[in-house]
Amino acid sequence: DVKVTQSSRYLVKRTGEKVFLECVQDMDHENMFWYRQDPGLGLRLIYFSYDVKMKEKGDIPEGYSVSREKKERFSLILESASTNQTSMYLCASSPIFPFTGGNQPQHFGDGTRLSIL
Amino acid sequence: SQQGEEDPQALSIQEGENATMNCSYKTSINNLQWYRQNSGRGLVHLILIRSNEREKHSGRLRVTLDTSKKSSSLLITASRAADTASYFCATVAPAGGTSYGKLTFGQGTILTVHP
């Protein structure tokens, strides 16, 4: 089974801190994604990556950056944390799209519940 | 912007009953996927239906897709307490656009199955 592991289940940080959320997948998937999930808003895509050192903005990239130095690891960075970034953050991975016509499902980690005080 | 909208927002049933959740979307799709999320956990993929398919089954799950109405439904038959979770539909845009391959999620339906 595919395993997507997020480094922390719960995290508390202070306003202005630089925050790193780590995600590792063990299935050699090309694609990796970061979402945030808020009540009433569902899941929203922050950033995604199709390959090492490659990144693309999702729907809500402001205030975030990402890093993908190795295929299995995708990091989400909050450059200067703010209280409106308090949320559940979910990482996901999937095989490459072009050969599958975009039909492959995504595999999710258990999430990191981040609180910014 | 949100592509999928689930209905109802919450559903409460007794064990053994069937549960039906609906999803509507706004633009053309390559495929539509349903996911389940147990409380405090990540999402788990349930079933994928392509734009040229009308119905698909997987165990106690039945998904239909009506592209003319831009809607889909998820039916869980003979529900169990363990089916209690949030259920999300997610759409994938057709190839060629900037959204190709990305999932766009609805807000979800919270299903509660009472023993």
Coordinates of all heavy atoms in Angstrom, one line a residue, chain A residues 2-85:
Chain A
V2 N 0.4 2.3 -0.7 CA 1.1 3.6 -0.7 C 1.0 4.2 0.7 O 0.0 4.1 1.4 CB 0.4 4.5 -1.7 CG1 1.0 5.9 -1.6 CG2 0.4 4.0 -3.1
K3 N 2.1 4.7 1.2 CA 2.1 5.4 2.4 C 2.6 6.8 2.3 O 3.7 7.0 1.7 CB 3.0 4.6 3.4 CG 2.8 5.2 4.9 CD 3.2 4.1 5.9 CE 3.0 4.7 7.3 NZ 1.6 4.9 7.6
V4 N 1.8 7.7 2.7 CA 2.2 9.1 2.7 C 2.3 9.6 4.2 O 1.3 9.5 4.9 CB 1.2 10.0 1.9 CG1 1.6 11.5 2.0 CG2 1.1 9.5 0.5
T5 N 3.5 10.0 4.6 CA 3.7 10.3 6.0 C 4.0 11.8 6.2 O 4.8 12.3 5.5 CB 4.9 9.5 6.5 OG1 4.7 8.1 6.3 CG2 5.1 9.8 8.0
Q6 N 3.2 12.4 7.0 CA 3.4 13.8 7.4 C 4.1 13.8 8.7 O 3.7 13.1 9.6 CB 2.1 14.5 7.4 CG 1.5 14.6 6.0 CD 0.2 15.4 5.9 OE1 -0.8 15.0 5.4 NE2 0.3 16.7 6.4
S7 N 5.1 14.7 8.9 CA 6.0 14.6 10.0 C 5.3 14.9 11.3 O 5.8 14.3 12.3 CB 7.1 15.6 9.8 OG 6.6 16.9 9.6
S8 N 4.3 15.7 11.4 CA 3.6 16.0 12.6 C 2.1 15.9 12.5 O 1.6 16.3 11.5 CB 4.0 17.4 13.1 OG 5.4 17.6 13.2
R9 N 1.5 15.4 13.5 CA 0.0 15.4 13.5 C -0.6 16.7 14.0 O -1.6 17.2 13.5 CB -0.6 14.2 14.3 CG -0.3 12.8 13.8 CD -1.1 12.6 12.5 NE -2.5 12.9 12.5 CZ -3.4 12.0 13.0 NH1 -3.0 10.8 13.4 NH2 -4.7 12.3 13.0
Y10 N 0.1 17.2 15.0 CA -0.3 18.5 15.6 C 1.0 19.4 15.8 O 2.1 18.9 16.1 CB -0.9 18.3 17.0 CG -2.1 17.4 17.0 CD1 -2.0 16.0 17.2 CD2 -3.4 17.9 16.7 CE1 -3.1 15.2 17.2 CE2 -4.5 17.1 16.7 CZ -4.3 15.8 16.9 OH -5.4 14.9 16.9
L11 N 0.8 20.7 15.5 CA 1.9 21.6 15.6 C 1.4 23.0 16.0 O 0.3 23.4 15.5 CB 2.5 21.7 14.2 CG 4.0 22.2 14.1 CD1 4.9 21.3 14.9 CD2 4.4 22.2 12.6
V12 N 2.1 23.6 17.0 CA 1.7 24.9 17.5 C 2.9 25.8 17.3 O 4.0 25.5 17.7 CB 1.3 24.9 19.0 CG1 0.9 26.3 19.4 CG2 0.1 23.9 19.2
K13 N 2.6 26.9 16.6 CA 3.7 27.9 16.3 C 3.2 29.3 16.6 O 2.0 29.5 16.8 CB 4.1 27.8 14.8 CG 4.8 26.5 14.5 CD 6.1 26.3 15.1 CE 6.8 25.0 14.7 NZ 8.1 24.8 15.3
R14 N 4.1 30.2 16.6 CA 3.8 31.6 16.9 C 3.8 32.5 15.6 O 4.5 32.2 14.7 CB 4.8 32.2 17.9 CG 4.7 31.5 19.3 CD 5.2 32.4 20.4 NE 5.0 31.7 21.7 CZ 3.9 31.9 22.4 NH1 2.9 32.6 21.9 NH2 3.7 31.2 23.5
T15 N 3.0 33.5 15.7 CA 3.0 34.5 14.6 C 4.4 35.0 14.2 O 5.1 35.3 15.1 CB 2.1 35.7 14.9 OG1 0.8 35.2 15.3 CG2 1.9 36.6 13.8
G16 N 4.7 35.0 12.9 CA 6.0 35.4 12.4 C 7.0 34.4 12.3 O 8.1 34.6 11.7
E17 N 6.8 33.2 12.9 CA 7.8 32.1 12.8 C 7.8 31.6 11.4 O 6.8 31.6 10.6 CB 7.4 31.0 13.7 CG 7.8 31.2 15.2 CD 7.7 29.9 16.0 OE1 8.5 29.0 15.8 OE2 6.8 29.9 16.9
K18 N 8.9 31.0 11.0 CA 9.0 30.2 9.7 C 8.7 28.8 10.1 O 9.3 28.2 11.0 CB 10.4 30.4 9.1 CG 10.5 29.8 7.7 CD 11.8 30.2 7.1 CE 11.9 29.8 5.6 NZ 13.2 30.3 5.0
V19 N 7.7 28.2 9.4 CA 7.2 26.9 9.7 C 7.4 25.9 8.5 O 7.2 26.3 7.4 CB 5.7 26.9 10.0 CG1 5.2 25.5 10.4 CG2 5.4 27.9 11.2
F20 N 7.9 24.8 8.8 CA 8.2 23.7 7.8 C 7.2 22.5 8.1 O 7.2 22.0 9.2 CB 9.6 23.3 7.9 CG 10.6 24.3 7.5 CD1 11.1 25.2 8.4 CD2 11.1 24.4 6.2 CE1 12.0 26.2 8.1 CE2 12.0 25.3 5.8 CZ 12.5 26.2 6.7
L21 N 6.5 22.1 7.1 CA 5.7 20.9 7.1 C 6.3 20.0 6.1 O 6.5 20.3 5.0 CB 4.2 21.2 6.8 CG 3.5 22.2 7.7 CD1 2.0 22.3 7.3 CD2 3.6 21.9 9.2
E22 N 6.6 18.7 6.6 CA 7.3 17.8 5.8 C 6.3 16.6 5.4 O 5.5 16.2 6.2 CB 8.5 17.2 6.5 CG 9.5 18.2 7.1 CD 10.3 18.8 6.0 OE1 10.3 18.3 4.8 OE2 10.9 19.9 6.2
C23 N 6.5 16.1 4.2 CA 5.7 15.0 3.7 C 6.6 14.1 2.9 O 7.4 14.5 2.1 CB 4.6 15.6 2.8 SG 3.6 14.3 1.9
V24 N 6.5 12.8 3.2 CA 7.3 11.8 2.5 C 6.4 10.7 2.0 O 5.5 10.2 2.7 CB 8.3 11.2 3.4 CG1 9.1 10.0 2.7 CG2 9.3 12.2 4.0
Q25 N 6.6 10.3 0.7 CA 5.8 9.1 0.2 C 6.8 8.0 -0.3 O 7.9 8.3 -0.7 CB 4.9 9.6 -1.0 CG 5.6 10.4 -2.1 CD 6.1 9.6 -3.3 OE1 5.9 8.4 -3.4 NE2 6.7 10.3 -4.2
D26 N 6.3 6.8 -0.2 CA 7.2 5.7 -0.4 C 6.9 4.9 -1.7 O 7.3 3.7 -1.8 CB 7.1 4.7 0.8 CG 5.8 4.1 1.0 OD1 4.8 4.4 0.2 OD2 5.6 3.3 1.9
M27 N 6.1 5.5 -2.6 CA 5.7 4.7 -3.8 C 6.3 5.3 -5.1 O 5.8 5.0 -6.2 CB 4.2 4.7 -3.9 CG 3.6 3.7 -3.0 SD 4.2 2.0 -3.4 CE 3.4 1.7 -5.0
D28 N 7.3 6.1 -5.0 CA 8.0 6.6 -6.2 C 7.1 7.4 -7.1 O 7.2 7.4 -8.3 CB 8.6 5.5 -7.0 CG 9.8 5.9 -7.9 OD1 10.5 6.8 -7.4 OD2 9.9 5.4 -9.0
H29 N 6.1 8.1 -6.5 CA 5.1 8.9 -7.3 C 5.8 10.2 -7.7 O 6.6 10.8 -7.0 CB 3.9 9.2 -6.4 CG 3.0 8.1 -6.2 ND1 1.9 8.1 -5.3 CD2 2.9 6.9 -6.8 CE1 1.3 7.0 -5.4 NE2 1.8 6.2 -6.3
E30 N 5.5 10.5 -9.0 CA 6.0 11.8 -9.5 C 5.3 13.0 -8.9 O 5.9 14.0 -8.7 CB 5.9 11.8 -11.0 CG 6.8 10.8 -11.8 CD 6.3 9.4 -11.8 OE1 5.1 9.2 -11.3 OE2 7.0 8.5 -12.2
N31 N 4.0 12.9 -8.7 CA 3.2 14.1 -8.3 C 3.0 14.1 -6.8 O 2.7 13.1 -6.2 CB 1.8 14.0 -9.0 CG 1.9 13.9 -10.5 OD1 2.6 14.6 -11.1 ND2 1.0 13.1 -11.0
M32 N 3.2 15.3 -6.3 CA 2.9 15.6 -4.9 C 2.1 16.9 -4.7 O 2.3 17.8 -5.5 CB 4.2 15.5 -4.0 CG 4.9 14.2 -4.1 SD 6.2 14.0 -2.9 CE 5.3 13.8 -1.3
F33 N 1.3 16.9 -3.7 CA 0.4 18.1 -3.5 C 0.3 18.5 -2.1 O 0.4 17.7 -1.2 CB -1.0 17.6 -4.0 CG -1.1 17.0 -5.3 CD1 -0.9 15.7 -5.5 CD2 -1.5 17.8 -6.4 CE1 -0.9 15.1 -6.8 CE2 -1.6 17.3 -7.7 CZ -1.3 15.9 -7.9
W34 N 0.1 19.8 -1.9 CA -0.3 20.3 -0.5 C -1.6 21.0 -0.6 O -1.8 21.8 -1.5 CB 0.8 21.3 0.0 CG 1.9 20.6 0.6 CD1 3.2 20.5 0.2 CD2 2.0 20.1 2.0 NE1 4.0 19.9 1.1 CE2 3.3 19.6 2.2 CE3 1.0 19.9 3.0 CZ2 3.6 18.9 3.4 CZ3 1.4 19.2 4.1 CH2 2.7 18.8 4.3
Y35 N -2.5 20.6 0.3 CA -3.8 21.2 0.5 C -4.0 21.7 1.9 O -3.3 21.3 2.8 CB -4.9 20.2 0.3 CG -5.0 19.5 -1.0 CD1 -4.3 18.3 -1.3 CD2 -5.9 20.0 -2.0 CE1 -4.4 17.7 -2.5 CE2 -6.0 19.3 -3.2 CZ -5.2 18.2 -3.5 OH -5.3 17.6 -4.7
R36 N -4.9 22.7 2.0 CA -5.4 23.0 3.4 C -6.9 22.8 3.4 O -7.6 22.9 2.4 CB -5.0 24.5 3.8 CG -5.6 25.6 3.0 CD -5.2 26.9 3.6 NE -6.0 27.3 4.8 CZ -5.8 28.3 5.6 NH1 -4.8 29.2 5.3 NH2 -6.5 28.6 6.6
Q37 N -7.3 22.4 4.6 CA -8.7 22.1 4.7 C -9.3 22.9 5.9 O -8.8 22.8 7.0 CB -8.9 20.6 5.1 CG -10.3 20.1 5.2 CD -10.5 18.6 5.4 OE1 -9.6 18.0 5.9 NE2 -11.6 18.1 5.1
D38 N -10.3 23.6 5.6 CA -11.0 24.5 6.5 C -12.5 24.2 6.5 O -13.1 24.0 5.5 CB -10.7 26.0 6.2 CG -9.3 26.3 6.2 OD1 -8.7 26.4 7.3 OD2 -8.7 26.5 5.1
P39 N -13.1 24.3 7.7 CA -14.6 24.1 7.8 C -15.4 25.0 6.8 O -15.1 26.2 6.8 CB -14.9 24.4 9.2 CG -13.6 24.2 10.0 CD -12.6 24.6 9.0
G40 N -16.3 24.4 6.1 CA -17.1 25.2 5.1 C -16.4 25.5 3.8 O -17.1 26.0 2.9
L41 N -15.1 25.3 3.7 CA -14.4 25.6 2.5 C -13.8 24.4 1.8 O -13.3 24.5 0.7 CB -13.2 26.6 2.8 CG -13.6 27.9 3.4 CD1 -12.4 28.7 3.7 CD2 -14.5 28.7 2.3
G42 N -13.9 23.2 2.4 CA -13.4 22.0 1.8 C -11.9 22.0 1.7 O -11.2 22.7 2.5
L43 N -11.3 21.3 0.7 CA -9.9 21.2 0.5 C -9.5 22.2 -0.6 O -10.2 22.2 -1.7 CB -9.5 19.8 0.1 CG -9.2 18.8 1.2 CD1 -10.5 18.3 1.7 CD2 -8.3 17.7 0.7
R44 N -8.5 23.0 -0.4 CA -8.0 23.9 -1.4 C -6.5 23.6 -1.6 O -5.7 23.5 -0.7 CB -8.2 25.3 -0.9 CG -9.7 25.7 -0.8 CD -9.8 27.2 -0.3 NE -9.4 27.3 1.1 CZ -9.2 28.4 1.7 NH1 -9.4 29.6 1.1 NH2 -8.9 28.4 3.0
L45 N -6.2 23.6 -2.9 CA -4.8 23.3 -3.3 C -3.9 24.5 -3.2 O -4.2 25.6 -3.7 CB -4.8 22.8 -4.8 CG -3.5 22.4 -5.4 CD1 -2.9 21.2 -4.7 CD2 -3.6 22.1 -6.9
I46 N -2.8 24.3 -2.5 CA -1.8 25.3 -2.2 C -0.7 25.3 -3.3 O -0.5 26.3 -4.0 CB -1.2 25.2 -0.8 CG1 -2.2 25.1 0.3 CG2 -0.2 26.4 -0.5 CD1 -1.7 24.8 1.7
Y47 N 0.0 24.2 -3.4 CA 1.0 24.0 -4.4 C 1.1 22.5 -4.8 O 0.6 21.7 -4.0 CB 2.4 24.3 -3.8 CG 2.9 25.7 -4.0 CD1 2.8 26.7 -2.9 CD2 3.6 26.1 -5.1 CE1 3.2 28.0 -3.1 CE2 4.0 27.4 -5.3 CZ 3.9 28.3 -4.3 OH 4.3 29.6 -4.4
F48 N 1.6 22.3 -6.0 CA 1.9 20.9 -6.4 C 3.2 20.8 -7.1 O 3.7 21.9 -7.6 CB 0.7 20.3 -7.1 CG 0.3 21.0 -8.4 CD1 0.7 20.5 -9.6 CD2 -0.4 22.2 -8.4 CE1 0.3 21.2 -10.8 CE2 -0.8 22.9 -9.5 CZ -0.4 22.3 -10.7
S49 N 3.6 19.6 -7.3 CA 4.9 19.4 -8.0 C 4.8 18.1 -8.8 O 4.3 17.1 -8.4 CB 6.0 19.2 -6.9 OG 7.2 18.7 -7.5
Y50 N 5.2 18.2 -10.1 CA 5.2 17.1 -11.0 C 6.6 16.4 -11.1 O 6.7 15.3 -11.7 CB 4.9 17.6 -12.4 CG 3.5 17.9 -12.7 CD1 3.1 19.0 -13.5 CD2 2.5 17.3 -12.0 CE1 1.8 19.3 -13.8 CE2 1.1 17.6 -12.2 CZ 0.8 18.6 -13.1 OH -0.5 19.0 -13.3
D51 N 7.6 17.0 -10.4 CA 8.9 16.4 -10.5 C 9.9 17.0 -9.5 O 9.5 18.1 -9.0 CB 9.5 16.5 -12.0 CG 10.5 15.5 -12.3 OD1 11.0 14.8 -11.4 OD2 10.9 15.4 -13.5
V52 N 11.0 16.5 -9.4 CA 12.0 17.0 -8.4 C 12.3 18.5 -8.9 O 12.5 18.7 -10.1 CB 13.3 16.2 -8.4 CG1 14.3 16.8 -7.6 CG2 12.9 14.8 -7.8
K53 N 12.4 19.4 -8.0 CA 12.8 20.8 -8.2 C 11.7 21.5 -9.0 O 12.0 22.6 -9.4 CB 14.2 20.9 -8.8 CG 15.3 20.4 -7.9 CD 16.6 20.8 -8.5 CE 17.7 20.2 -7.6 NZ 17.7 20.7 -6.2
M54 N 10.6 20.9 -9.3 CA 9.6 21.5 -10.1 C 8.4 21.8 -9.1 O 8.0 21.0 -8.3 CB 9.1 20.6 -11.2 CG 8.0 21.2 -12.1 SD 6.4 20.8 -11.4 CE 5.4 21.7 -12.6
K55 N 7.8 23.0 -9.3 CA 6.6 23.4 -8.5 C 5.7 24.2 -9.3 O 6.1 25.0 -10.2 CB 7.1 24.1 -7.2 CG 7.8 25.4 -7.5 CD 8.3 26.0 -6.2 CE 9.1 27.3 -6.5 NZ 9.6 27.9 -5.3
E56 N 4.4 24.1 -8.9 CA 3.4 25.0 -9.6 C 2.4 25.5 -8.5 O 2.1 24.7 -7.6 CB 2.7 24.3 -10.7 CG 3.5 24.0 -11.9 CD 2.6 23.7 -13.1 OE1 1.5 24.2 -13.2 OE2 3.1 23.1 -14.0
K57 N 2.0 26.7 -8.7 CA 1.0 27.3 -7.7 C -0.3 26.6 -7.9 O -0.8 26.3 -9.0 CB 0.9 28.8 -7.9 CG 2.2 29.5 -7.6 CD 2.0 31.0 -7.8 CE 3.3 31.8 -7.5 NZ 3.2 33.2 -7.7
G58 N -1.0 26.4 -6.8 CA -2.4 26.0 -6.8 C -3.3 27.2 -6.7 O -3.0 28.3 -7.2
D59 N -4.4 27.0 -6.0 CA -5.4 28.1 -5.9 C -5.1 29.1 -4.9 O -5.6 30.3 -5.0 CB -6.8 27.4 -5.7 CG -7.2 26.5 -6.8 OD1 -7.0 26.8 -7.9 OD2 -7.7 25.4 -6.4
I60 N -4.4 28.7 -3.8 CA -4.1 29.7 -2.7 C -2.7 29.7 -2.3 O -2.3 29.3 -1.2 CB -5.0 29.4 -1.5 CG1 -5.0 27.9 -1.1 CG2 -6.5 29.8 -1.8 CD1 -5.5 27.6 0.3
P61 N -1.7 30.1 -3.2 CA -0.3 30.0 -2.8 C 0.2 31.1 -1.9 O 1.3 31.0 -1.4 CB 0.4 30.0 -4.2 CG -0.6 30.9 -5.0 CD -2.0 30.6 -4.5
E62 N -0.5 32.1 -1.8 CA 0.0 33.3 -1.1 C 0.4 33.0 0.4 O -0.4 32.4 1.1 CB -1.0 34.5 -1.1 CG -1.4 35.0 -2.5 CD -2.4 34.1 -3.2 OE1 -3.0 33.2 -2.6 OE2 -2.4 34.2 -4.5
G63 N 1.6 33.4 0.8 CA 2.1 33.1 2.1 C 2.8 31.8 2.3 O 3.2 31.5 3.4
Y64 N 2.8 31.0 1.2 CA 3.4 29.7 1.3 C 4.5 29.6 0.2 O 4.5 30.2 -0.8 CB 2.4 28.6 1.0 CG 1.2 28.6 2.0 CD1 0.0 29.3 1.6 CD2 1.3 27.9 3.2 CE1 -1.0 29.3 2.5 CE2 0.2 27.9 4.0 CZ -1.0 28.6 3.7 OH -2.0 28.6 4.5
S65 N 5.5 28.7 0.4 CA 6.4 28.2 -0.6 C 6.6 26.7 -0.4 O 6.1 26.2 0.6 CB 7.7 29.0 -0.5 OG 8.4 28.7 0.7
V66 N 7.2 26.1 -1.4 CA 7.4 24.6 -1.3 C 8.9 24.3 -1.7 O 9.5 25.1 -2.4 CB 6.4 23.8 -2.1 CG1 5.0 23.9 -1.5 CG2 6.5 24.3 -3.6
S67 N 9.3 23.1 -1.4 CA 10.6 22.6 -1.8 C 10.5 21.2 -2.1 O 9.9 20.4 -1.3 CB 11.6 22.9 -0.7 OG 12.8 22.2 -1.0
R68 N 11.1 20.8 -3.2 CA 11.1 19.3 -3.6 C 12.5 19.0 -4.1 O 12.8 19.1 -5.3 CB 10.1 19.0 -4.6 CG 9.9 17.5 -4.7 CD 8.6 17.1 -5.3 NE 8.5 15.6 -5.4 CZ 7.8 15.0 -6.2 NH1 7.0 15.7 -7.1 NH2 7.7 13.7 -6.2
E69 N 13.4 18.7 -3.2 CA 14.8 18.4 -3.5 C 15.0 16.9 -3.9 O 15.9 16.5 -4.6 CB 15.7 18.8 -2.4 CG 15.7 20.3 -2.1 CD 16.3 21.1 -3.3 OE1 17.3 20.6 -3.9 OE2 15.7 22.1 -3.6
K70 N 14.1 16.1 -3.3 CA 14.1 14.6 -3.6 C 12.7 14.2 -4.0 O 11.7 14.8 -3.6 CB 14.6 13.8 -2.4 CG 16.0 14.1 -2.0 CD 16.5 13.2 -0.9 CE 17.9 13.4 -0.5 NZ 18.4 12.5 0.6
K71 N 12.6 13.1 -4.8 CA 11.4 12.7 -5.4 C 10.4 12.4 -4.3 O 9.2 12.6 -4.4 CB 11.6 11.5 -6.3 CG 10.4 11.1 -7.1 CD 10.7 10.0 -8.1 CE 9.6 9.7 -9.0 NZ 9.9 8.7 -10.0
E72 N 10.9 11.8 -3.2 CA 9.9 11.3 -2.2 C 9.5 12.3 -1.2 O 8.6 12.0 -0.4 CB 10.6 10.1 -1.4 CG 11.8 10.4 -0.6 CD 13.1 10.4 -1.3 OE1 13.1 10.4 -2.6 OE2 14.1 10.3 -0.7
R73 N 10.1 13.5 -1.2 CA 9.8 14.5 -0.1 C 9.4 15.8 -0.7 O 10.0 16.3 -1.6 CB 11.1 14.7 0.7 CG 11.0 15.6 1.9 CD 12.3 15.7 2.6 NE 12.8 14.4 3.1 CZ 12.5 14.0 4.3 NH1 11.7 14.7 5.2 NH2 12.9 12.8 4.7
F74 N 8.3 16.3 -0.1 CA 7.7 17.6 -0.5 C 7.4 18.4 0.7 O 6.7 18.0 1.6 CB 6.4 17.3 -1.3 CG 5.9 18.5 -2.1 CD1 6.7 19.4 -2.7 CD2 4.5 18.6 -2.3 CE1 6.2 20.5 -3.4 CE2 4.0 19.7 -3.0 CZ 4.8 20.6 -3.6
S75 N 8.1 19.5 0.8 CA 8.0 20.4 2.0 C 7.1 21.6 1.7 O 7.3 22.2 0.7 CB 9.4 20.8 2.5 OG 10.2 19.6 2.8
L76 N 6.3 21.9 2.7 CA 5.5 23.2 2.6 C 6.1 24.1 3.7 O 6.3 23.8 4.8 CB 4.1 22.9 2.9 CG 3.1 24.1 2.9 CD1 3.0 24.7 1.5 CD2 1.8 23.8 3.5
I77 N 6.3 25.4 3.2 CA 7.0 26.4 4.1 C 6.1 27.6 4.3 O 5.6 28.1 3.3 CB 8.3 26.8 3.5 CG1 9.2 25.6 3.3 CG2 9.0 27.8 4.4 CD1 10.3 25.8 2.2
L78 N 5.8 27.9 5.5 CA 5.1 29.2 5.8 C 6.2 30.2 6.2 O 6.9 30.1 7.2 CB 4.2 29.0 7.0 CG 2.9 28.3 6.7 CD1 3.1 26.8 6.4 CD2 1.9 28.4 7.9
E79 N 6.4 31.1 5.3 CA 7.6 32.0 5.4 C 7.5 32.9 6.7 O 8.5 33.1 7.4 CB 7.7 32.9 4.2 CG 7.9 32.2 2.9 CD 9.3 31.6 2.8 OE1 10.2 32.0 3.6 OE2 9.5 30.7 2.0
S80 N 6.3 33.4 7.0 CA 6.1 34.2 8.2 C 4.7 33.9 8.7 O 3.7 34.5 8.2 CB 6.3 35.6 7.9 OG 6.0 36.4 9.1
A81 N 4.5 32.9 9.6 CA 3.2 32.4 9.9 C 2.3 33.5 10.4 O 2.7 34.4 11.2 CB 3.4 31.3 10.9
S82 N 1.0 33.4 10.0 CA 0.0 34.3 10.5 C -1.2 33.5 11.0 O -1.4 32.3 10.7 CB -0.4 35.2 9.4 OG -1.0 34.5 8.4
T83 N -2.0 34.1 11.8 CA -3.1 33.4 12.5 C -4.1 32.8 11.4 O -4.7 31.8 11.7 CB -3.9 34.3 13.5 OG1 -4.3 35.5 12.8 CG2 -3.0 34.6 14.7
N84 N -4.2 33.5 10.3 CA -5.1 33.0 9.3 C -4.6 31.7 8.5 O -5.3 31.2 7.6 CB -5.6 34.0 8.3 CG -4.4 34.6 7.5 OD1 -3.3 34.0 7.5 ND2 -4.6 35.7 6.8
Q85 N -3.4 31.3 8.9 CA -2.9 30.0 8.4 C -3.1 28.9 9.3 O -2.7 27.7 9.1 CB -1.4 30.2 8.0 CG -1.2 31.2 6.9 CD 0.3 31.4 6.6 OE1 1.1 31.7 7.5 NE2 0.7 31.2 5.3

